[in-house]
């Protein structure tokens, strides 16, 4: 079945550091790919998405590019802030409304 | 516009008791989903409603879980009787179309 694997956390880094969270997927066909974020005390929010190969999703300084050749959708941000501390989830769907999530990566940014 | 609302935010119950979780989706969203995250692992799909009908309940773990969606509006997820392994965070989401799921804050269920 479809699955998502993302790097294990937790990840701790200093403000203004570069952040990468790796995500790879296994799926037949052409899934859409997502990054969701859960800030402390809040629900899951869609951070960015990409619906076809080579698409780049971006939001709040975060970017991820849909790489079909490597089945990857790595999340990057060039300069993190304390407010980026959250749990990040990579996910996919093939249009059947059902999302398949990775295990989540906890990111803590220190001032 | 109000988002997806879940009640309660936390629940602690004893093994063998019954718990009912409620989800109010965004108004006008026909699609409603339940997901669960257990022990810090991946978030797993439980089921999907389209209006009041169960479209896909392939992720429901066993017959101790019962989901309903009255009149295609709010939904409830009942666990009866609860077991220790049911502890986790239960998320509800709604969407007007594929992939654009809007999630609630989740209900943290602890079974002791």
């Amino acid at each position: 079945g479809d699955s998502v694997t993302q790097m294990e956390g937790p990840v701790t880094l200093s403000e203004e550091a570069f952040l990468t969270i790796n995500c790879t997927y296994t799926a037949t066909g052409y899934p859409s790919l997502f990054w969701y974020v859960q800030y402390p005390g809040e629900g899951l929010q869609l951070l960015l998405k990409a619906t076809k190969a080579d698409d780049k999703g971006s939001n709040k300084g975060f970017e991820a590019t849909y790489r079909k050749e490597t089945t990857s959708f790595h999340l990057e941000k060039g300069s993190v802030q304390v407010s980026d501390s959250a749990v990040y989830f990579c996910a996919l769907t093939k249009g059947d409304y059902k999302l398949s999530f990775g295990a989540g990566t906890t990111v803590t940014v220190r001032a | 516009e109000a988002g997806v609302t879940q009640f309660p935010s936390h629940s602690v119950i004893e093994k063998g008791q019954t718990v009912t979780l409620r989800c109010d989706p965004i108004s006008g969203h026909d699609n409603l989903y339940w997901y669960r995250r257990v022990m810090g692992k991946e978030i797993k799909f439980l089921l999907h409603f389209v209006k009041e009908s169960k479209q896909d309940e392939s992720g429901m773990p066993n017959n101790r879980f019962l989901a309903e969606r009255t009149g295609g509006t709010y939904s409830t997820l009942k666990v009866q009787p609860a077991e220790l392994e049911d502890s986790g965070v239960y998320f509800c989401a709604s969407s007007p179309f594929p992939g654009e799921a809007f999630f609630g804050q989740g209900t943290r269920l602890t079974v002791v």
Side-chain angles (χ1 to χ4, degrees):
Chain A
D2 300 337
S3 66
V4 175
T5 302
Q6 59 182 105
M7 64 183 287
E8 294 184 13
V11 174
T12 302
L13 54 165
S14 299
E15 240 179 349
E16 300 183 3
F18 185 87
L19 171 67
T20 299
I21 304 175
N22 290 338
C23 170
T24 58
Y25 68 90
T26 300
T28 58
Y30 302 92
S32 295
L33 302 175
F34 305 84
W35 278 99
Y36 280 84
V37 59
Q38 185 179 21
Y39 298 104
E42 299 184 15
L44 285 168
Q45 302 173 25
L46 178 63
L47 181 59
L48 52 84
K49 68 176 183 179
T51 59
K52 61 183 187 295
D54 299 325
D55 268 2
K56 177 186 285 187
S58 61
N59 186 26
K60 298 183 179 182
F62 289 90
E63 292 183 340
T65 301
Y66 188 163
R67 301 289 189 197
K68 190 162 179 64
E69 64 275 15
T70 54
T71 63
S72 65
F73 193 54
H74 304 322
L75 183 68
E76 297 182 336
K77 185 173 185 180
S79 178
V80 293
Q81 305 299 313
V82 172
S83 57
D84 294 322
S85 298
V87 184
Y88 294 82
F89 296 91
C90 186
L92 69 82
T93 184
K94 290 194 297 187
D96 60 354
Y97 297 80
K98 184 191 308 184
L99 286 161
S100 297
F101 285 90
T105 302
T106 300
V107 174
T108 302
V109 180
R110 300 173 304 189
Chain B
E1 178 182 289
V4 176
T5 307
Q6 293 187 243
F7 303 96
S9 57
H10 295 83
S11 180
V12 181
I13 62 171
E14 293 184 351
K15 177 182 172 181
Q17 290 185 322
T18 298
V19 63
T20 299
L21 314 181
R22 173 169 169 147
C23 170
D24 287 75
I26 294 172
S27 177
H29 285 192
D30 289 341
N31 298 279
L32 186 149
Y33 321 85
W34 284 98
Y35 289 84
R36 177 175 74 167
R37 187 182 192 210
V38 174
M39 290 292 289
K41 296 185 178 178
E42 66 270 22
I43 300 170
K44 288 195 172 180
F45 169 83
L46 296 179
L47 87 161
H48 169 213
F49 284 99
V50 177
K51 297 185 180 179
E52 68 276 6
S53 299
K54 292 177 185 175
Q55 187 76 11
D56 180 353
E57 52 184 330
S58 60
M60 294 288 264
N62 52 61
N63 59 10
R64 295 185 293 102
F65 289 75
L66 175 64
E68 295 179 324
R69 190 178 182 192
T70 306
T73 55
Y74 70 91
S75 174
T76 58
L77 179 64
K78 183 163 70 174
V79 184
Q80 179 183 30
E83 299 289 345
L84 298 178
E85 64 264 26
D86 300 333
S87 296
V89 180
Y90 290 76
F91 291 101
C92 176
S94 69
S95 71
F97 46 82
E100 294 285 352
F102 296 84
F103 282 80
Q105 291 186 313
T107 293
R108 181 174 296 278
L109 174 64
T110 302
V111 182
V112 297

